[in-house]
Amino acid sequence: MTRQATPPTGAPNLCLTSENTALRFGTTTATKWQSMRVEAGALGYAWQETYQALIEAAHAEPALRALYPFTSHWVLRFSTTTRPRLTAVGPCLTAGSDGTYGVGTGFTPDLGLFATAHEAVAVAMRHMPSGLGPVTLGG
């Protein structure tokens, strides 16, 4: 049975369920993906198209789309929890200004450089841990 708590007056639209799932504008996984896709399309950098292709390719993969996406230094990462306390899982994905896509265990592409975003996402998927559950509140 799912119980809903009523947020205090003036609080953000927050609903906590017994499964510890946060449904809050700006922090849900789907909302975060949407904001990243919009941001990627509006960047004013030479590598905007490469970055946007990476975000779109990752979003097209259902297993990645189910995770909470975030970036650090324009490196795409994934979490099993929302902010404020992220729980990063799997490899990092990068979009280079030369049109290549990197996959790595950190900010360097130690798992390879690829010609397409879809290739990079496929490699990232092979390095994701199995059995990741639904995204939970990171707090």
Side-chain angles (χ1 to χ4, degrees):
M1 174 180 208
T2 299
R3 293 176 290 150
Q4 293 185 348
T6 303
T9 304
N13 183 10
L14 178 63
C15 170
L16 296 178
T17 67
S18 60
E19 292 82 25
N20 195 31
T21 302
L23 300 176
R24 177 178 167 182
F25 293 120
T27 60
T28 65
T29 301
T31 301
K32 181 63 176 174
W33 271 111
Q34 183 59 29
S35 70
M36 288 185 74
R37 294 171 75 201
V38 169
E39 177 188 49
L43 291 174
Y45 297 108
W47 42 266
Q48 178 273 328
E49 288 182 22
T50 307
Y51 183 74
Q52 184 174 13
L54 178 63
I55 299 297
E56 294 297 335
H59 181 263
E61 173 54 55
L64 295 181
R65 190 172 56 244
L67 297 171
Y68 185 84
F70 68 100
T71 59
S72 176
H73 300 85
W74 298 106
V75 174
L76 179 59
R77 312 247 0 238
F78 306 95
S79 176
T80 57
T81 57
T82 63
R83 292 187 185 278
R85 291 199 175 103
L86 298 170
T87 305
V89 293
C92 300
L93 292 135
T94 58
S97 59
D98 61 355
T100 61
Y101 301 88
V103 181
T105 55
F107 289 154
T108 58
D110 58 341
L111 298 176
L113 285 173
F114 304 91
T116 71
H118 290 286
E119 289 174 300
V121 166
V123 169
M125 284 303 303
R126 289 196 293 273
H127 288 87
M128 288 300 262
S130 61
L132 296 175
V135 172
T136 59
L137 178 63

